[in-house]
Amino acid sequence: YTAIEGAAGLIIATEWAEFVEADIEKIKQCLFESVIFDGRNIYQPADMEAAGFSYYSVGRRPVLQGQISTLS
């Protein structure tokens, strides 16, 4: 969590337990912007939407909070 404190977003490129089992609310509190790019699809889009993240995952539709996607 220290590594993402004040970061503009989080990029996930591994399926390590530290990410899979992470506290989503704590992640949101640490980030300056609630943005996650998930290269391993470890989170469910519906969960990220409910948590208020703008969430981009490889091969799935993004979850956007208050933004218009140009990636569709």
Side-chain angles (χ1 to χ4, degrees), residues 3-46:
I4 63 171
E5 189 68 44
L10 172 62
I11 298 174
I12 299 171
T14 180
E15 296 175 24
W16 290 352
E18 291 90 336
F19 294 105
V20 174
E21 299 168 2
D23 181 335
I24 297 303
E25 286 303 315
K26 189 166 184 177
I27 290 173
K28 188 172 182 182
Q29 291 170 2
C30 290
L31 293 173
F32 176 74
E33 296 284 338
S34 299
V35 178
I36 294 179
F37 292 88
D38 184 355
R40 304 303 297 169
N41 292 324
I42 63 173
Y43 299 125
Q44 294 300 313

Side-chain angles (χ1 to χ4, degrees), residues 28 44-55 63-65:
K28 188 172 182 182
Q44 294 300 313
D47 295 340
M48 296 295 98
E49 182 175 24
F53 280 95
S54 291
Y55 177 72
V63 170
L64 303 174
Q65 298 294 319

